[in-house]
Amino acid sequence: MQIDEMDRALLALLARNARLPVATLARKLGLARTTVQARLDRLETSGVIAGYTLRLGQEARPALRATALVSIEPRTGPAVLARLDSLPQVRSVHTTSGRFDLIVSLEATTTQELDETLDRIGEAKGVRSSESLIHLSTKLDRGA
């Protein structure tokens, strides 16, 4: 599907605040409300907009965040991913190139919970090695 500059502007407004009413979006874009609604319907139907969600502020997020860089044995990806999926503290998993195979984002409420989660990751069958990085403060967050 082709996305034009007006679609990009609409998506940028929604990325900042997905709760903006269609009338407000139309006013900011200089379009008719029905035109904006039609664009939203098209973007949703085509899968460009997969859904709308809630982003928690710092006060409501778990106190600790970390990234685990994980190296796995060949052909163990599905088993390792299943193990990671079973851990509620795992927020996202990305494949990567280079020395590590996976980037795992974690959130925990206590250091003990984070430590135990990192232990569960490290002892998973197929995990060759892991390295963890605890996030200290957020300097920039575009909500991606």
Side-chain angles (χ1 to χ4, degrees), residues 26-65:
R27 189 171 51 257
K28 288 179 180 272
L29 296 170
L31 298 173
R33 192 194 65 72
T34 55
T35 302
V36 171
Q37 186 62 59
R39 282 180 179 266
L40 284 171
D41 292 343
R42 181 175 50 85
L43 292 168
E44 290 170 0
T45 301
S46 68
V48 172
I49 295 176
Y52 300 87
T53 188
L54 171 71
R55 282 190 345 209
L56 296 175
Q58 288 297 111
E59 298 78 26
R61 292 175 116 182
L64 298 168
R65 286 172 301 187

Side-chain angles (χ1 to χ4, degrees), residues 16-32:
R16 284 193 292 278
N17 183 355
R19 291 182 50 131
L20 285 174
V22 174
T24 302
L25 293 167
R27 189 171 51 257
K28 288 179 180 272
L29 296 170
L31 298 173

Side-chain angles (χ1 to χ4, degrees), residues 5-144:
E5 288 306 310
M6 193 58 68
D7 290 334
R8 290 185 209 298
L10 175 57
L11 292 170
L13 287 170
L14 290 171
R16 284 193 292 278
N17 183 355
R19 291 182 50 131
L20 285 174
V22 174
T24 302
L25 293 167
R27 189 171 51 257
K28 288 179 180 272
L29 296 170
L31 298 173
R33 192 194 65 72
T34 55
T35 302
V36 171
Q37 186 62 59
R39 282 180 179 266
L40 284 171
D41 292 343
R42 181 175 50 85
L43 292 168
E44 290 170 0
T45 301
S46 68
V48 172
I49 295 176
Y52 300 87
T53 188
L54 171 71
R55 282 190 345 209
L56 296 175
Q58 288 297 111
E59 298 78 26
R61 292 175 116 182
L64 298 168
R65 286 172 301 187
T67 298
L69 306 172
V70 180
S71 178
I72 62 174
E73 300 290 339
R75 295 177 297 283
T76 62
V80 172
L81 188 56
R83 174 64 167 180
L84 294 172
D85 189 37
S86 75
L87 302 171
Q89 296 79 13
V90 172
R91 305 304 299 157
S92 65
V93 179
H94 306 274
T95 58
T96 185
S97 61
R99 194 175 75 172
F100 295 98
D101 301 299
L102 303 173
I103 298 173
V104 182
S105 297
L106 306 160
E107 290 184 346
T109 54
T110 66
T111 55
Q112 180 178 348
E113 181 183 33
L114 179 60
D115 190 38
E116 289 171 359
T117 302
L118 292 169
D119 285 347
R120 299 294 85 74
I121 292 170
E123 68 192 19
K125 185 173 170 60
V127 170
R128 182 182 299 158
S129 66
S130 67
E131 182 175 324
S132 58
L133 306 163
I134 297 174
H135 302 198
L136 300 176
S137 65
T138 301
K139 302 297 184 186
L140 177 67
D141 182 359
R142 291 198 171 109

